[in-house]
Amino acid sequence: VLLAAVVALWLTVKKSTCATVHAGFWVDDAVYDSQRLGISLTREEIDRVAAVARGEIALAFRGLNIAFSDSRNPSYRVRVVEELRDLRFKWQMSVPAQSRAVSGMGGQGAVSLSWMASAAAGFVPQGAGRTALLDAIGTGVGRAAVHEFAHILLPRAPIHDSIDRGSYEYDTASRREQFAGDMHWDLAWRFLQKRLAPCAPPVP
Ligand SMILES: [Zn+2]
């Protein structure tokens, strides 16, 4: 009986450590009505940007035990807003993204669409066309969201220590790598593998 209890307890613990983490990512309704974006985007264009961003997020967390949706309820969530201001400064300081997290309690972040749109416009080659611009914006938004999700999933991990410009952890979005080409994890990957470990396959 004791052994059965121990096994049952172990199974419970085992189950809880591999429970899927749910995370939300969405574009705020207000963004669709915004007249103030650096470049004006139609509803359809914003949807395309969001779809590209979702693809970036799925790619970054592929193989990990986390499920993304556009639900606003999960404890871990990042939304796309029109604009973000750094409230620590008296002057109007626009920032690309930010987040807040409490260890073990979840957290929330935001990505500025207007910041990403104007930065992407600077990195897309001239004459590349509207679709290339939208995809660059979506890539930038998605990678910024990935960075903020890393912060809120791993509030204690020193992810800004990365000096790899091609990594999600790198601490500035003002870089060509944010908007095009491949991106990879650096030092956060081992923490994520632990935090979002897939459930072990059942023992035969
Ligand atoms: Zn950061």
Side-chain angles (χ1 to χ4, degrees):
V1 172
L2 179 62
L3 181 65
V6 169
V7 169
L9 179 66
W10 183 82
L11 285 174
T12 314
V13 170
K14 187 76 187 157
K15 202 176 163 197
S16 70
T17 56
C18 77
T20 300
V21 170
H22 291 274
F25 173 78
W26 70 92
V27 178
D28 259 2
D29 293 338
V31 172
Y32 287 95
D33 304 321
S34 170
Q35 305 296 317
R36 294 195 290 131
L37 291 172
I39 59 165
S40 65
L41 298 172
T42 65
R43 274 195 95 79
E44 291 70 28
E45 288 178 330
I46 293 172
D47 285 342
R48 183 183 176 102
V49 164
V52 172
R54 283 193 194 95
E56 282 294 325
I57 295 167
L59 187 65
F61 289 93
R62 190 176 45 178
L64 298 174
N65 199 3
I66 184 166
F68 291 92
S69 71
D70 59 4
S71 167
R72 300 166 189 212
N73 297 324
S75 304
Y76 301 93
R77 50 188 191 265
V78 172
R79 64 200 177 109
V80 179
V81 298
E82 180 189 342
E83 184 120 64
L84 276 175
R85 298 275 178 215
D86 192 329
L87 299 175
R88 291 171 302 172
F89 298 100
K90 273 194 186 139
W91 62 92
Q92 295 237 313
M93 173 91 173
S94 182
V95 291
Q98 60 192 18
S99 57
R100 273 183 305 152
V102 180
S103 204
M105 301 287 285
Q108 46 189 300
V111 178
S112 163
L113 183 56
S114 58
W115 194 100
M116 289 295 157
S118 48
F123 286 115
V124 167
Q126 285 224 323
R130 189 74 174 176
T131 307
L133 174 62
L134 295 174
D135 289 353
I137 299 170
T139 302
V141 168
R143 290 174 179 179
V146 169
H147 180 99
E148 299 310 321
F149 274 121
H151 274 306
I152 61 182
L153 287 160
L154 309 167
R156 292 164 198 260
I159 71 169
H160 288 167
D161 285 357
S162 176
I163 53 167
D164 181 346
R165 288 185 68 87
S167 74
Y168 295 109
E169 294 93 323
Y170 196 70
D171 77 348
T172 175
S174 296
R175 50 175 169 157
R176 186 172 300 278
E177 293 87 342
Q178 182 81 23
F179 302 96
D182 293 332
M183 186 159 273
H184 49 262
W185 287 106
D186 184 14
L187 49 89
W189 182 242
R190 65 191 173 93
F191 295 110
L192 287 169
Q193 281 183 305
K194 216 170 175 182
R195 174 71 183 78
L196 305 171
C199 301
V203 181

